[in-house]
Short mmCIF file of all heavy atoms in Angstrom, two decimals:
data_model
loop_
_atom_site.label_atom_id
_atom_site.label_comp_id
_atom_site.label_asym_id
_atom_site.label_seq_id
_atom_site.Cartn_x
_atom_site.Cartn_y
_atom_site.Cartn_z
N TYR W 1 -39.30 19.44 35.39
CA TYR W 1 -38.47 20.10 34.39
C TYR W 1 -39.30 20.64 33.25
O TYR W 1 -40.43 20.35 33.06
CB TYR W 1 -37.40 19.01 33.90
CG TYR W 1 -38.02 17.82 33.16
CD1 TYR W 1 -38.15 17.82 31.84
CD2 TYR W 1 -38.48 16.71 33.90
CE1 TYR W 1 -38.74 16.70 31.18
CE2 TYR W 1 -38.96 15.62 33.32
CZ TYR W 1 -39.16 15.64 31.86
OH TYR W 1 -39.64 14.52 31.23
N ARG W 2 -38.62 21.43 32.44
CA ARG W 2 -39.28 22.06 31.23
C ARG W 2 -38.75 21.35 30.05
O ARG W 2 -37.63 21.00 29.89
CB ARG W 2 -38.84 23.51 31.18
CG ARG W 2 -39.55 24.29 30.07
CD ARG W 2 -39.06 25.73 29.96
NE ARG W 2 -38.80 26.35 31.18
CZ ARG W 2 -39.57 27.17 31.86
NH1 ARG W 2 -40.73 27.52 31.31
NH2 ARG W 2 -39.18 27.79 32.95
N HIS W 3 -39.77 21.04 29.09
CA HIS W 3 -39.35 20.32 27.91
C HIS W 3 -40.37 20.76 26.76
O HIS W 3 -41.58 20.69 26.96
CB HIS W 3 -39.47 18.81 28.01
CG HIS W 3 -39.21 17.99 26.80
ND1 HIS W 3 -37.94 17.90 26.25
CD2 HIS W 3 -40.06 17.30 26.01
CE1 HIS W 3 -37.93 17.21 25.24
NE2 HIS W 3 -39.20 16.83 25.00
N ASP W 4 -39.78 21.30 25.73
CA ASP W 4 -40.64 21.77 24.53
C ASP W 4 -41.71 22.76 25.02
O ASP W 4 -42.85 22.73 24.61
CB ASP W 4 -41.26 20.63 23.82
CG ASP W 4 -40.24 19.80 23.02
OD1 ASP W 4 -39.18 20.40 22.68
OD2 ASP W 4 -40.48 18.59 22.68
N GLY W 5 -41.35 23.65 25.96
CA GLY W 5 -42.34 24.62 26.38
C GLY W 5 -43.38 24.11 27.34
O GLY W 5 -44.32 24.88 27.74
N LYS W 6 -43.22 22.95 27.78
CA LYS W 6 -44.19 22.40 28.77
C LYS W 6 -43.47 22.06 30.04
O LYS W 6 -42.19 21.84 30.09
CB LYS W 6 -44.72 21.07 28.26
CG LYS W 6 -45.57 21.21 26.97
CD LYS W 6 -46.05 19.87 26.53
CE LYS W 6 -46.78 20.03 25.20
NZ LYS W 6 -47.22 18.77 24.64
N ILE W 7 -44.12 22.10 31.20
CA ILE W 7 -43.52 21.70 32.47
C ILE W 7 -44.03 20.29 32.77
O ILE W 7 -45.16 19.96 32.73
CB ILE W 7 -44.09 22.68 33.63
CG1 ILE W 7 -43.57 24.07 33.28
CG2 ILE W 7 -43.63 22.16 34.91
CD1 ILE W 7 -44.04 25.10 34.23
N ILE W 8 -43.02 19.45 32.95
CA ILE W 8 -43.29 18.03 33.28
C ILE W 8 -42.96 17.78 34.73
O ILE W 8 -41.86 18.12 35.25
CB ILE W 8 -42.32 17.16 32.36
CG1 ILE W 8 -42.39 17.57 30.89
CG2 ILE W 8 -42.64 15.63 32.58
CD1 ILE W 8 -43.74 17.30 30.27
N LEU W 9 -43.92 17.14 35.46
CA LEU W 9 -43.70 16.74 36.77
C LEU W 9 -43.86 15.23 36.93
O LEU W 9 -44.75 14.64 36.34
CB LEU W 9 -44.74 17.46 37.75
CG LEU W 9 -44.78 18.94 37.80
CD1 LEU W 9 -45.91 19.46 38.63
CD2 LEU W 9 -43.45 19.45 38.30
N MET W 10 -42.96 14.68 37.67
CA MET W 10 -43.00 13.21 37.89
C MET W 10 -43.07 13.01 39.44
O MET W 10 -42.23 13.47 40.14
CB MET W 10 -41.82 12.50 37.31
CG MET W 10 -41.68 12.66 35.84
SD MET W 10 -40.32 11.75 35.12
CE MET W 10 -38.97 12.18 36.15
N ALA W 11 -44.07 12.20 39.92
CA ALA W 11 -44.13 11.90 41.35
C ALA W 11 -44.01 10.37 41.50
O ALA W 11 -44.64 9.63 40.82
CB ALA W 11 -45.47 12.35 41.91
N LEU W 12 -43.29 10.06 42.52
CA LEU W 12 -43.11 8.63 42.85
C LEU W 12 -43.87 8.35 44.17
O LEU W 12 -43.52 8.80 45.25
CB LEU W 12 -41.62 8.28 43.02
CG LEU W 12 -41.26 6.78 43.36
CD1 LEU W 12 -41.79 5.88 42.23
CD2 LEU W 12 -39.74 6.67 43.56
N ILE W 13 -45.02 7.63 44.04
CA ILE W 13 -45.84 7.37 45.18
C ILE W 13 -46.13 5.91 45.27
O ILE W 13 -47.08 5.35 44.71
CB ILE W 13 -47.13 8.19 45.09
CG1 ILE W 13 -46.91 9.64 44.72
CG2 ILE W 13 -47.99 8.05 46.34
CD1 ILE W 13 -48.11 10.45 44.42
N PRO W 14 -45.17 5.14 45.86
CA PRO W 14 -45.29 3.68 45.88
C PRO W 14 -46.52 3.31 46.75
O PRO W 14 -47.04 3.95 47.64
CB PRO W 14 -44.00 3.16 46.52
CG PRO W 14 -43.49 4.41 47.34
CD PRO W 14 -43.97 5.60 46.61
N GLY W 15 -47.11 2.13 46.36
CA GLY W 15 -48.21 1.61 47.10
C GLY W 15 -49.53 2.17 46.64
O GLY W 15 -50.56 2.03 47.28
N THR W 16 -49.54 2.86 45.43
CA THR W 16 -50.79 3.48 44.93
C THR W 16 -50.95 3.00 43.54
O THR W 16 -50.05 2.61 42.83
CB THR W 16 -50.75 5.05 45.01
OG1 THR W 16 -49.72 5.52 44.27
CG2 THR W 16 -50.64 5.53 46.44
N THR W 17 -52.21 3.23 43.02
CA THR W 17 -52.43 3.12 41.57
C THR W 17 -52.93 4.44 41.08
O THR W 17 -53.24 5.31 41.88
CB THR W 17 -53.55 2.03 41.33
OG1 THR W 17 -54.82 2.51 41.90
CG2 THR W 17 -53.22 0.69 41.95
N ILE W 18 -53.00 4.55 39.81
CA ILE W 18 -53.50 5.82 39.22
C ILE W 18 -54.88 6.18 39.66
O ILE W 18 -55.17 7.34 39.81
CB ILE W 18 -53.35 5.81 37.68
CG1 ILE W 18 -53.46 7.18 37.07
CG2 ILE W 18 -54.40 4.90 37.10
CD1 ILE W 18 -52.30 8.06 37.35
N GLU W 19 -55.77 5.17 39.98
CA GLU W 19 -57.01 5.41 40.52
C GLU W 19 -57.00 6.06 41.89
O GLU W 19 -58.01 6.62 42.37
CB GLU W 19 -57.85 4.16 40.45
CG GLU W 19 -58.22 3.69 39.09
CD GLU W 19 -57.07 2.91 38.40
OE1 GLU W 19 -56.11 2.43 39.15
OE2 GLU W 19 -57.10 2.62 37.24
N ASP W 20 -55.98 5.84 42.64
CA ASP W 20 -55.87 6.27 44.00
C ASP W 20 -55.38 7.75 44.09
O ASP W 20 -55.34 8.35 45.21
CB ASP W 20 -54.81 5.45 44.83
CG ASP W 20 -55.20 3.99 44.96
OD1 ASP W 20 -56.39 3.78 45.08
OD2 ASP W 20 -54.28 3.26 44.95
N ILE W 21 -55.05 8.38 42.95
CA ILE W 21 -54.41 9.73 42.97
C ILE W 21 -55.26 10.71 42.17
O ILE W 21 -55.79 10.39 41.12
CB ILE W 21 -53.00 9.62 42.30
CG1 ILE W 21 -52.12 8.62 43.13
CG2 ILE W 21 -52.34 10.96 42.18
CD1 ILE W 21 -50.77 8.28 42.46
N SER W 22 -55.26 11.93 42.75
CA SER W 22 -55.96 13.03 42.07
C SER W 22 -55.02 14.20 41.86
O SER W 22 -54.22 14.56 42.77
CB SER W 22 -57.13 13.42 42.89
OG SER W 22 -57.78 14.60 42.39
N VAL W 23 -55.09 14.87 40.73
CA VAL W 23 -54.29 16.05 40.43
C VAL W 23 -55.21 17.23 40.16
O VAL W 23 -56.10 17.04 39.34
CB VAL W 23 -53.25 15.75 39.31
CG1 VAL W 23 -52.47 17.06 39.05
CG2 VAL W 23 -52.29 14.61 39.66
N SER W 24 -55.01 18.34 40.77
CA SER W 24 -55.92 19.54 40.54
C SER W 24 -55.02 20.80 40.57
O SER W 24 -53.93 20.74 41.09
CB SER W 24 -57.01 19.54 41.58
OG SER W 24 -56.53 19.77 42.80
N MET W 25 -55.58 21.82 40.00
CA MET W 25 -54.99 23.10 39.98
C MET W 25 -56.02 24.15 40.30
O MET W 25 -57.11 24.26 39.65
CB MET W 25 -54.35 23.41 38.71
CG MET W 25 -53.47 24.64 38.70
SD MET W 25 -52.01 24.25 37.67
CE MET W 25 -51.08 25.72 37.92
N THR W 26 -55.76 24.96 41.36
CA THR W 26 -56.64 26.02 41.76
C THR W 26 -55.79 27.26 42.14
O THR W 26 -54.91 27.21 42.84
CB THR W 26 -57.50 25.69 43.06
OG1 THR W 26 -58.12 24.44 42.79
CG2 THR W 26 -58.44 26.72 43.44
N ASP W 27 -56.16 28.41 41.46
CA ASP W 27 -55.42 29.67 41.71
C ASP W 27 -53.95 29.46 41.62
O ASP W 27 -53.15 29.89 42.47
CB ASP W 27 -55.76 30.22 43.13
CG ASP W 27 -57.22 30.54 43.24
OD1 ASP W 27 -57.82 31.02 42.26
OD2 ASP W 27 -57.74 30.44 44.35
N GLU W 28 -53.51 28.81 40.54
CA GLU W 28 -52.04 28.55 40.22
C GLU W 28 -51.40 27.66 41.21
O GLU W 28 -50.17 27.71 41.38
CB GLU W 28 -51.29 29.88 40.07
CG GLU W 28 -51.87 30.68 38.85
CD GLU W 28 -51.11 31.95 38.62
OE1 GLU W 28 -49.99 32.06 39.17
OE2 GLU W 28 -51.53 32.75 37.85
N ILE W 29 -52.12 26.91 42.03
CA ILE W 29 -51.49 25.99 43.00
C ILE W 29 -51.89 24.50 42.52
O ILE W 29 -53.06 24.21 42.52
CB ILE W 29 -52.07 26.24 44.46
CG1 ILE W 29 -51.62 27.59 44.89
CG2 ILE W 29 -51.52 25.15 45.39
CD1 ILE W 29 -52.14 28.06 46.23
N LEU W 30 -50.84 23.77 42.30
CA LEU W 30 -51.04 22.37 41.88
C LEU W 30 -51.02 21.49 43.11
O LEU W 30 -50.24 21.70 44.01
CB LEU W 30 -49.88 21.98 41.00
CG LEU W 30 -49.91 20.52 40.53
CD1 LEU W 30 -51.05 20.29 39.52
CD2 LEU W 30 -48.63 20.06 39.99
N THR W 31 -52.05 20.68 43.21
CA THR W 31 -52.20 19.72 44.32
C THR W 31 -52.25 18.30 43.85
O THR W 31 -53.00 18.05 42.95
CB THR W 31 -53.46 20.05 45.20
OG1 THR W 31 -53.29 21.41 45.72
CG2 THR W 31 -53.61 19.11 46.33
N ILE W 32 -51.42 17.49 44.48
CA ILE W 32 -51.50 16.05 44.23
C ILE W 32 -51.98 15.41 45.48
O ILE W 32 -51.37 15.63 46.61
CB ILE W 32 -50.08 15.42 43.85
CG1 ILE W 32 -49.54 16.17 42.56
CG2 ILE W 32 -50.14 13.94 43.70
CD1 ILE W 32 -48.10 15.76 42.29
N SER W 33 -53.12 14.69 45.39
CA SER W 33 -53.71 14.07 46.55
C SER W 33 -54.12 12.63 46.30
O SER W 33 -54.20 12.26 45.16
CB SER W 33 -54.83 14.88 47.10
OG SER W 33 -55.89 14.91 46.11
N GLY W 34 -54.36 11.95 47.36
CA GLY W 34 -54.86 10.55 47.13
C GLY W 34 -55.01 9.78 48.42
O GLY W 34 -54.92 10.34 49.50
N HIS W 35 -55.03 8.48 48.27
CA HIS W 35 -55.16 7.61 49.41
C HIS W 35 -54.35 6.31 49.18
O HIS W 35 -54.44 5.71 48.15
CB HIS W 35 -56.62 7.26 49.57
CG HIS W 35 -56.93 6.54 50.85
ND1 HIS W 35 -56.88 5.16 50.96
CD2 HIS W 35 -57.30 7.03 52.08
CE1 HIS W 35 -57.25 4.88 52.17
NE2 HIS W 35 -57.47 5.97 52.88
#
């Protein structure tokens, strides 16, 4: 969703910790990856 001119994304990935997840952006493509 959009809030105060920013785009906010929320992902629910059970069974992971923040250390297990990577977020990157290349050529305007956002990728969420992990293990």
Side-chain angles (χ1 to χ4, degrees):
Y1 62 95
R2 185 185 322 261
H3 178 71
D4 288 337
K6 297 177 184 176
I7 296 174
I8 310 296
L9 299 175
M10 300 182 313
L12 181 60
I13 312 172
T16 62
T17 65
I18 194 70
E19 292 82 13
D20 297 325
I21 299 170
S22 174
V23 178
S24 63
M25 187 138 187
T26 305
D27 296 328
E28 298 184 11
I29 297 174
L30 178 72
T31 299
I32 300 172
S33 60
H35 191 269

